[in-house]
Amino acid sequence: MESIVHRTVEVNGIKMHVAEKGEGPVVLFLHGFPELWYSWRHQILHLSSLGYRAVAPDLRGYGDSDAPAPITAYTCFHLLGDIVALIDSLGVDKVFLVGHDWGAILGWYLCLFRPDRVKAYVCLSVPFRPFLGRNPQQKTVDNFRALYGEDYYICRFQEPGKMEAELARVDTGYLMKNILTTRHSGPPIFPKGEYGTGFNPHTPDILPSWLTQQDLDYFVTKFKKSGFTGGLNYYRNLNLNWELTAAWTGVGIENVPVKFIIGSVDMVYNSQGMKEYIHNGGFKKDVPSLEEVVVQEGVGHFNNQEAAHDVANHIHDFINKF
């Protein structure tokens, strides 16, 4: 990874760490929870070798980027402000956008609010519906609580400091391995006081071939330094985001070409009603510009790492058309 260039840029009132490589049209990668720019290491090398400028930041609250203290500094509009300012700093009007997990959610928001900055969008794991398909009668967290109960991970993340204290009782190395290697296909439930077994009761002793000890050590080092509060604050703003985006209720994505990629054993794909939404017309209704859906057989939630080469090829095949 020595050939990847690292720098810090001033965006939207914070300092953001950015990793990049290559020259040409910009491909901007947005990571999820609990991840870093490093989650895109394989795609950065692949796309840069094909004539693209691959750019991947540590998002607000993560890694070597600033982590403002107020919880309300992590609304969707703060996060989008960072991304738009980053695009401005790159000296381009539009980017090819790739997002995974929370990065996928931010990608949908960017396509919704600033489609003028996106050439095409490759979305991994999280379709438009879960967080953006607003139920006008019920706030986001309440909706998840009704579906999955109080121990659903999003509900457990809400109280400031409580989840951090629970995570602090678990070794960071075990925690990251537990999350990244999970093959649990149902909704992540965190029974109180049982974090490790609640998310992934079958954490392997041996790392899978796609995750080396060096990879794991990188994540562990950064999260030992930063903690998890920044990432958890994204979830703590779900209800506030619901309130702030009321004016966009019922509005879909029409002006940005979209490709969606998800693993067949991804917990999102196997959540209640999700397969029906993705394949039976609901997704296409909300995103008329959706051009392709790819289901990777046997692949879990972190498909950008587990099936890195396949994801990189799918990205290139799609953006190469524009």
Side-chain angles (χ1 to χ4, degrees), residues 224-298:
K224 278 186 175 180
K225 178 183 175 183
S226 69
F228 294 91
T229 298
L232 292 172
N233 283 342
Y234 287 46
Y235 295 93
R236 291 169 180 152
N237 279 281
L238 285 172
N239 278 349
L240 181 55
N241 289 342
W242 181 89
E243 296 172 5
L244 293 172
T245 58
W248 290 271
T249 301
V251 178
I253 306 298
E254 298 184 358
N255 299 317
V256 178
V258 175
K259 180 174 186 173
F260 181 70
I261 309 170
I262 194 167
S264 68
V265 295
D266 188 326
M267 66 190 75
V268 176
Y269 189 59
N270 291 279
S271 296
Q272 184 174 324
M274 194 58 66
K275 292 178 183 177
E276 292 79 6
Y277 172 74
I278 291 172
H279 298 294
N280 293 349
F283 193 9
K284 181 67 174 177
K285 180 180 179 182
D286 289 341
V287 185
S289 57
L290 177 66
E291 295 191 9
E292 188 177 355
V293 171
V294 176
V295 179
Q296 296 171 304
E297 190 61 37

Side-chain angles (χ1 to χ4, degrees), residues 97-99 104 108 121-127 258-262:
L97 186 66
V98 184
W108 290 123
Y121 179 36
V122 179
C123 176
L124 276 60
S125 182
V126 182
V258 175
K259 180 174 186 173
F260 181 70
I261 309 170
I262 194 167

Side-chain angles (χ1 to χ4, degrees), residues 183-205:
R183 312 302 291 174
H184 180 65
S185 60
I189 303 298
F190 293 171
K192 291 179 176 59
E194 300 179 24
Y195 173 79
T197 57
F199 192 92
N200 180 9
H202 305 295
T203 302
D205 293 328

